[in-house]
Amino acid sequence: LRAHGYTGRIVSFEPLSSVHARLVASARGDAGWRVAPRMALGDTEGKIDIHVAGNSLSSSILDMLPEHERAAPGSAFVGSESVSLRRLDRVAPDYMAGAKSVLLKMDTQGYEDRVLKGASGVLDKVTAIQTELSLVPLYARQPLFDEMRTTIEAMGYGLFAVFPGYVHEQSGQTLQLDGFFLRRDMTPGNS
């Protein structure tokens, strides 16, 4: 974001201890970038185990399905970590204070629907949502593209753009993409 000229506030949430430590180090020296204490986000509060993937990018609260492992060798789970699970609408208000517009970007490996449910109390301040959307099941009990699109649209957002995501290394099949949703009252033609 900084490389593209964004100078506003950034708040990052990360559940994995090693990745969180790298994130804190990366944010050091940038007064506008805050890293929240280590936690996972969802629709309840408590403790939860997160599966740590061999490539760390594929780590998830949900169980990984064989299709994911076949598509990305080296992504199999190699351990787990216990972490606090928090609702975004309980932890975000202080970070969002004074913000004129908020982008919620989610990449939680199939857990995005739970993060959205846990954000219900702050969505009125969220202008745009960018989220990973799966076209095929990669994690157990994850919603796929159509269900997520329907859920987000029911919250008052419209799909504005899609961006390439995860592609199967051998077959070339697109497995995931990122969807960018704007609040309907913000989309071009509705202002």
Side-chain angles (χ1 to χ4, degrees), residues 88-161:
L88 190 61
D89 56 14
R90 297 239 175 109
V91 297
D94 287 342
Y95 295 113
M96 295 170 66
K100 293 181 181 169
S101 64
V102 174
L103 164 67
L104 172 60
K105 183 186 182 302
M106 299 179 292
D107 186 350
T108 58
Q109 304 306 313
Y111 212 67
E112 290 82 4
D113 63 324
R114 281 77 153 196
V115 175
L116 276 176
K117 287 178 188 171
S120 61
V122 293
L123 285 179
D124 61 325
K125 294 175 178 55
V126 174
T127 305
I129 298 171
Q130 183 174 338
T131 186
E132 191 171 62
L133 301 165
S134 287
L135 301 174
V136 298
L138 299 175
Y139 297 93
R141 301 175 318 281
Q142 78 170 116
L144 298 180
F145 176 89
D146 287 332
E147 183 180 349
M148 283 297 294
R149 190 196 73 224
T150 300
T151 297
I152 295 170
E153 288 180 349
M155 294 175 169
Y157 297 84
L159 183 60
F160 184 76

Side-chain angles (χ1 to χ4, degrees), residues 15-19 38 48-52 79-84:
L16 294 180
S17 57
S18 63
V19 179
R38 190 172 80 89
I48 199 158
D49 288 334
I50 184 166
H51 306 291
V52 180
S80 67
E81 292 184 11
S82 182
V83 65
S84 292

